[in-house]
Amino acid sequence: MDIRVSGHQVATGEAIKVHVDERLQAIATKYFARAIAAQVTFGRGPHEAFTCDIVAHVMQGLVLKANNTGMEAHVAFDGAADKIEKQLRRYMRRLKDRSAVPAGGATIADDGTVTDNAGYTVFQEQVEEEDVAGDFPPIVAETRVDVPDATVSDAVMMLDLRNTTALLFRNVGSGAYNMVYRRGDGTIGWVEPHRAA
């Protein structure tokens, strides 16, 4: 697995890079033999604390995100890595319990390893030209993603694994496009389009 460690206004030394590499490689070996990459970013939080953000591309369609804060960089990283490991453990348990093939074409072998036969796409960052003045707000991020076919419960699981606030999916029961989203109070909302009679 390709692991990149960077610091935002924080110097990352060799010791923290070795610690990050060893821990994430161990997690990848334990859960996904063919994990793609992980980006670990350290920064400064309030009150001289360290922040750590991890974005792990485990397989096509499965991106895990976690963050944590601590008074030391190692503590901040370990907390975020624990969250990634917990997400992977729940995902594996759910796959084993359902004996299903998840979106993205992954399968579980008898020894518990997950393999996938999906192709991978790397999007190259485009260099922006000088902004044109206008009434249009800037687009912060634009990504093309596949809309998965899933049940509502599977969509909620993907929402948790991707650590996002909303997920568009095609409901396998009705064939209509639905959306699940995380509400301000922490509960999950489900949007289903009104069908004409």
Side-chain angles (χ1 to χ4, degrees):
M1 177 168 67
D2 179 34
I3 299 172
R4 297 176 193 261
V5 180
S6 60
H8 180 68
Q9 299 178 346
V10 172
T12 55
E14 194 60 33
I16 192 72
K17 289 180 181 179
V18 169
H19 179 66
V20 167
D21 189 72
E22 288 175 354
R23 178 80 191 271
L24 291 182
Q25 293 291 3
I27 291 172
T29 302
K30 184 175 181 180
Y31 293 103
F32 283 85
R34 294 181 56 199
I36 303 170
Q39 173 69 41
V40 180
T41 307
F42 290 95
R44 280 288 186 183
H47 310 294
E48 298 300 314
F50 286 92
T51 62
C52 178
D53 295 303
I54 301 175
V55 178
H57 298 270
V58 180
M59 63 184 208
Q60 178 86 17
L62 181 59
V63 178
L64 305 179
K65 298 178 183 177
N67 58 21
N68 195 43
T69 304
M71 293 310 289
E72 296 179 7
H74 282 47
V75 174
F77 167 73
D78 286 337
D82 289 343
K83 292 176 184 178
I84 291 287
E85 189 168 11
K86 182 178 179 182
Q87 291 172 351
L88 284 171
R89 188 171 43 250
R90 285 191 310 191
Y91 182 68
M92 291 294 295
R93 187 179 320 122
R94 183 167 181 130
L95 289 179
K96 286 180 182 177
D97 289 347
R98 296 189 63 219
S99 299
V101 176
T107 56
I108 300 177
D110 292 334
D111 63 357
T113 59
V114 174
T115 59
D116 63 72
N117 57 0
Y120 301 110
T121 305
V122 178
F123 296 99
Q124 183 176 3
E125 184 177 344
Q126 295 181 359
V127 179
E128 294 184 17
E129 297 180 13
E130 189 175 337
D131 291 336
V132 178
D135 293 332
F136 303 105
I139 297 172
V140 176
E142 181 179 332
T143 307
R144 289 191 182 270
V145 294
D146 293 326
V147 176
D149 290 339
T151 63
V152 176
S153 62
D154 285 345
V156 171
M157 178 187 69
M158 284 186 257
L159 181 77
D160 286 339
L161 288 172
R162 295 178 182 183
N163 197 20
T164 60
T165 55
L167 176 74
L168 178 70
F169 68 101
R170 185 172 163 189
N171 192 325
V172 294
S174 66
Y177 288 97
N178 291 190
M179 184 177 73
V180 290
Y181 64 96
R182 190 169 310 282
R183 298 166 49 117
D185 61 359
T187 59
I188 303 293
W190 170 26
V191 177
E192 185 172 25
H194 179 70
R195 287 179 257 168

